[in-house]
Amino acid sequence: MSMSEKPSSRKADSVLSGVSKEEIKHFDRAAIANNPNARLANPLEGIPQDQLIADAAAFAKSHDLGHVTEEFQKGALVAQNPTEFETLPLLTDEDRNVLRREMTHRWSHPFQLYYLVILCSMAAAVQGMDEAVINGANLFFAPQFGIGSVGDQSRNQWLLGLVNSAPYLCCGLIGCWVSAPLNKYFGRRGTIFISAFVSFATCIWQGVTNTWWHLFIARFFLGFGIGPKSATVPVYAAECAPPVIRGALVMMWQMWTAFGIMFGYVMDLSFYHVPDKPGITGLNWRLMLASAGVPALFIMMQVYACPESPRWLLSKGRYDQAYTSLLRLRNSPLQAARDLYYIHVQLEAEAESFQGRNRFLELFTVPRNRRATLAAFIVMFMQQFCGVNVIAYYSSSIFSQASFTDLQALIASWGFGMLNWVFAFPAVWTIDTFGRRNLLLTTFPLMALFLLMTGFSFYIPEGNGRLAVVALGIYLYTMAYSPGEGPVPFTYSAEAFPLYVRDVGMGFATAVLWFFNFVVAITFPRLLGAFTPTGAFGWYAAWNVFGFFVILLFVPETKALSLEELDQVFSVPTHRHASYQLKALPHNIKKYIFRMKIEDMPPLYKHEGATHYTPGGAGHA
């Protein structure tokens, strides 16, 4: 039996153990979706060890890796039985020590992996600065360009929103969609390099504009830097990280985006008092906008010192380069061979099923992909409509309406940015233990509560009391947002899609995020004027209540599983997942809030052949 045949046939035996012969007879990928539970199957399960060793040797020889045949033989055995390495043949004591340490020291990895994380973190910081520096610049360029509070207020509010939202309009309509072809032809590293260059060039361009429409054009082209970078960097991190810490490493994107937002406010404060020079009006806001381009230069110098994504190299048939890349990202050749072989057998089965089809259409027509697309859409949409970016972009205006001075408003905005960054740190530990889904379900009700608190505080008479409660409400909201809806969406979307549609899927997810970012940014100045601050914050509080329920019903857990094992998670039909969660919600309220002693519900996901259930699976609401 050839290697291309084994994964799918063995997967059938493994996934459907205990299912009737009639079901097995008609097995295909859709059969998993018809089972009440999704068993997280290992595609190598059931293959005799002698056959597996021979298959691994043939694989190494056929892909110019014959010089490390023994490593691939050992790696295939470990991939088949990852927790039973103590009794596997071929392994040496040194091999077993490496695998023991992997289980007991989950943060022990080569420097190269963390260097890659630093690169991704710096890219995220650039993103945050691109988003935040406009906050302080609003106070100066708006009156200079005639779109301030003087004149037709409704027109000016829409124009200010249009200028602020220009990059996100580009991202939603064009920028994110060019990510897939850029990744196809230039790889993950090349796409990051190109997007960093665009960010640098357009930030400088913003600083030399002299009309609102020229600034709009410059900021629109900034979207070609923001869009591909935001679609590529989380995927790059997800494809290089080991499953056990993948969530923590990928969420660095959001944590360091928060740092970039905070640092953007620092730049706003640093250049606030810069006086105009002869022939230059508004030098302070020009320096604010241009400052975001400087860190992009460091990304351009750093990116090619990191290894390319092994999964991307495999998709191009470059197996020897993929192995070399994994050697730089893992502690031993055994781990590199194991991960490469495991990815390979999963991709072989995937390629058989999906070769030659329209990848974008299959985001919606293939049930497994459609469920991932829906879940990614929800978390990306809610990151905008939870209300955080109306604070990130307009906090200076909000604080000004609460009777802060311009300088006080910028300092208060810096406090928002600082808390946004600091409170993202807990998610580094909780996202892979507490889980993506549980973080969201815990924090959305809190965000709704604190937005209502902020909105109603505007009824307090002007004075220090109003200032204090408005600032407190925004700060408490930020403390709830940062460990939940802050880091989860990009992490979740980067890991939800199978490899063959991952570029397209992440492009779709980020396009959704940036399009609705555009909607929020363009509408909020007018919303603030029409609804008043109380109504505007109440509007977004209601969306947070909505977000809690759609996440409860339609967003499965993805923590601690390989990118390939997630196929089984997303094979559970949407109606079955939603029905289960409706039953789990009152059960978990009784158990975890009222501390009642009741029996656990049977979980929705189960590891095939394991003696325990997947922790944090759908058994937790």
Side-chain angles (χ1 to χ4, degrees):
M1 187 178 291
S2 68
M3 278 305 300
S4 62
E5 294 171 331
K6 284 188 184 64
S8 56
S9 62
R10 295 302 179 186
K11 184 182 287 188
D13 294 339
S14 177
V15 174
L16 299 180
S17 59
V19 180
S20 71
K21 292 181 180 179
E22 186 65 21
E23 286 179 292
I24 296 175
K25 179 179 177 181
H26 298 288
F27 175 79
D28 61 14
R29 291 178 68 87
I32 304 173
N34 296 322
N35 288 335
N37 296 333
R39 296 174 181 263
L40 306 181
N42 186 327
L44 299 174
E45 182 105 15
I47 301 176
Q49 287 187 348
D50 291 344
Q51 180 65 47
L52 185 60
I53 291 170
D55 288 343
F59 165 81
K61 184 178 179 180
S62 63
H63 292 97
D64 297 324
L65 293 166
H67 58 290
V68 285
T69 296
E70 185 179 357
E71 297 298 338
F72 277 96
Q73 291 173 324
K74 293 189 290 186
L77 290 171
V78 176
Q80 185 185 54
N81 298 287
T83 61
E84 299 176 13
F85 55 85
E86 297 287 0
T87 60
L88 292 177
L90 302 185
L91 269 62
T92 65
D93 289 341
E94 182 180 352
D95 294 330
R96 293 187 174 90
N97 287 334
V98 167
L99 296 173
R100 288 189 202 105
R101 182 171 178 81
E102 182 181 53
M103 298 177 68
T104 58
H105 296 74
R106 68 174 190 152
W107 291 99
S108 178
H109 298 281
F111 170 76
Q112 187 68 68
L113 178 65
Y114 292 108
Y115 184 71
L116 183 147
V117 172
I118 292 171
L119 165 78
C120 295
S121 301
M122 189 172 294
V126 172
Q127 196 94 337
M129 288 188 69
D130 286 337
E131 295 179 46
V133 289
I134 194 71
N135 197 316
N138 281 331
L139 300 173
F140 302 101
F141 76 74
Q144 181 178 332
F145 292 163
I147 56 173
S149 58
V150 179
D152 186 343
Q153 190 170 14
S154 176
R155 170 186 176 273
N156 291 343
Q157 287 169 344
W158 281 112
L159 289 179
L160 179 61
L162 183 65
V163 171
N164 276 297
S165 64
Y168 320 121
L169 175 63
C170 176
C171 287
L173 297 181
I174 310 171
C176 292
W177 298 110
V178 303
S179 175
L182 284 175
N183 275 276
K184 179 179 179 180
Y185 293 108
F186 299 103
R188 311 294 190 227
R189 295 182 303 175
T191 302
I192 294 170
F193 179 90
I194 293 168
S195 60
F197 172 77
V198 173
S199 291
F200 167 74
T202 50
C203 284
I204 303 302
W205 184 4
Q206 290 180 92
V208 297
T209 56
N210 283 303
T211 61
W212 71 262
W213 56 265
H214 190 189
L215 180 57
F216 167 81
I217 294 172
R219 287 183 58 75
F220 184 87
F221 277 89
L222 177 61
F224 287 105
I226 292 177
K229 181 159 23 71
S230 64
T232 302
V233 173
V235 169
Y236 180 48
E239 291 181 341
C240 293
V244 69
I245 59 167
R246 186 181 65 241
L249 296 189
V250 177
M251 72 138 291
M252 292 291 178
W253 169 263
Q254 183 59 36
M255 188 171 76
W256 291 97
T257 297
F259 174 82
I261 290 172
M262 181 195 71
F263 201 71
Y265 295 141
V266 171
M267 292 296 101
D268 288 345
L269 286 167
S270 299
F271 295 121
Y272 181 86
H273 290 296
V274 172
D276 292 343
K277 300 295 182 183
I280 304 177
T281 303
L283 181 59
N284 53 357
W285 69 261
R286 298 177 189 277
L287 291 173
M288 291 176 189
L289 295 182
S291 65
V294 177
L297 290 174
F298 293 96
I299 297 174
M300 295 165 62
M301 292 186 290
Q302 181 182 350
V303 64
Y304 281 104
C306 294
E308 183 56 271
S309 160
R311 284 180 173 84
W312 183 85
L313 291 169
L314 280 185
S315 72
K316 298 299 180 182
R318 304 176 190 175
Y319 283 77
D320 55 338
Q321 296 178 31
Y323 179 64
T324 301
S325 179
L326 277 169
L327 284 176
R328 298 172 63 184
L329 297 167
R330 301 294 185 263
N331 283 319
S332 73
L334 171 62
Q335 291 167 308
R338 174 201 61 191
D339 291 352
L340 183 66
Y341 191 75
Y342 189 72
I343 295 167
H344 163 75
V345 295
Q346 290 279 5
L347 298 184
E348 282 281 290
E350 188 177 274
E352 275 190 22
S353 299
F354 299 108
Q355 190 171 7
R357 300 183 186 179
N358 186 305
R359 295 191 301 157
F360 179 76
L361 288 179
E362 291 203 348
L363 290 179
F364 308 97
T365 58
V366 175
R368 179 262 183 266
N369 296 347
R370 185 169 61 245
R371 295 176 192 115
T373 302
L374 174 62
F377 175 91
I378 289 171
V379 294
M380 289 298 206
F381 171 81
M382 286 310 309
Q383 191 178 69
Q384 301 312 307
F385 271 73
C386 73
V388 67
N389 280 333
V390 302
I391 300 172
Y393 304 155
Y394 297 109
S395 59
S396 298
S397 302
I398 294 168
F399 285 125
S400 292
Q401 290 207 19
S403 304
F404 283 65
T405 66
D406 284 352
L407 187 58
Q408 286 175 332
L410 282 176
I411 294 172
S413 296
W414 173 83
F416 157 77
M418 185 268 293
L419 288 173
N420 189 21
W421 177 52
V422 169
F423 278 85
F425 277 93
V428 175
W429 291 273
T430 58
I431 198 167
D432 283 315
T433 53
F434 195 50
R436 289 85 159 124
R437 173 185 162 81
N438 287 335
L439 284 174
L440 296 177
L441 293 176
T442 302
T443 54
F444 264 95
L446 294 175
M447 289 192 290
L449 176 65
F450 295 137
L451 283 178
L452 287 174
M453 171 184 171
T454 305
F456 284 113
S457 65
F458 281 85
Y459 284 123
I460 299 174
E462 288 190 15
N464 291 336
R466 178 198 278 191
L467 299 181
V469 179
V470 169
L472 178 63
I474 288 177
Y475 289 167
L476 289 174
Y477 166 84
T478 306
M479 292 161 66
Y481 165 84
S482 293
E485 184 62 3
V488 168
F490 275 98
T491 303
Y492 195 98
S493 300
E495 65 193 7
F497 298 98
L499 179 63
Y500 88 105
V501 292
R502 191 166 296 150
D503 292 343
V504 178
M506 192 62 181
F508 168 80
T510 51
V512 167
L513 178 132
W514 293 119
F515 175 77
F516 286 105
N517 193 321
F518 161 73
V519 171
V520 167
I522 194 174
T523 57
F524 190 70
R526 185 66 193 127
L527 187 70
L528 201 59
F531 279 21
T532 72
T534 300
F537 280 105
W539 166 256
Y540 286 110
W543 276 108
N544 279 280
V545 175
F546 171 80
F548 173 85
F549 286 102
V550 293
I551 288 164
L552 174 72
L553 299 178
F554 304 119
V555 178
E557 183 58 79
T558 60
K559 73 173 179 120
L561 300 174
S562 77
L563 296 180
E564 289 71 33
E565 287 170 333
L566 292 174
D567 283 348
Q568 279 72 52
V569 169
F570 287 104
S571 72
V572 174
T574 302
H575 69 87
R576 184 168 291 129
H577 181 273
S579 175
Y580 181 93
Q581 299 305 334
L582 285 175
K583 296 174 184 176
L585 179 61
H587 172 275
N588 290 331
I589 290 175
K590 293 175 185 177
K591 181 173 183 179
Y592 297 110
I593 296 180
F594 294 110
R595 315 305 294 178
M596 297 171 62
K597 293 183 178 181
I598 55 178
E599 292 184 3
D600 289 337
M601 289 183 61
L604 194 57
Y605 310 124
K606 188 173 88 170
H607 278 293
E608 177 67 21
T611 57
H612 63 281
Y613 288 116
T614 305
H620 293 77

